[in-house]
Amino acid sequence: METIVECTVELEFREAGPLTQAAARLRMRDGTQLTAHGVTNRNPDDPGQQRVGEEVAAARALHGLTEQLLEKAGLDIEEVTHTAAHLTH
């Protein structure tokens, strides 16, 4: 039997000059919400490419979500098994 579960990830960007900030939010079907942030600062000698700053900031924010989600999964496993979980990525 196949089960399909849908979660939502939202990315929001803020830009001020060479600084780009990203907020990544994960909403899971059980109501769990995780949020992480990523920042990038363009070198003044580089050409202004808004999309590149967004990509780097988003990747950093999503990496933060990855870490949080692995930690949450580990705690959920430990709650059931009463044994330390060792999750890596």
Side-chain angles (χ1 to χ4, degrees):
M1 181 172 156
E2 180 178 320
T3 302
I4 298 174
V5 177
E6 190 171 312
C7 297
T8 303
V9 175
E10 296 175 354
L11 291 169
E12 179 180 281
F13 300 98
R14 295 188 193 283
E15 293 166 294
L19 185 69
T20 303
Q21 300 173 317
R25 290 180 193 86
L26 171 65
R27 291 187 172 92
M28 300 177 72
R29 70 178 180 156
D30 69 355
T32 299
Q33 292 189 47
L34 302 174
T35 302
H37 297 88
V39 178
T40 189
N41 193 7
R42 179 176 43 85
N43 184 313
D45 295 334
D46 291 344
Q49 291 183 299
Q50 179 178 355
R51 183 191 45 134
V52 173
E54 290 173 354
E55 291 169 347
V56 173
R60 290 176 175 162
L62 291 170
H63 181 76
L65 279 183
T66 299
E67 302 244 334
Q68 289 180 44
L69 197 53
L70 282 170
E71 182 177 336
K72 180 187 179 324
L75 292 172
D76 290 346
I77 290 168
E78 290 172 0
E79 186 177 301
V80 173
T81 64
H82 307 288
T83 304
H86 302 283
L87 301 177
T88 60
H89 60 324

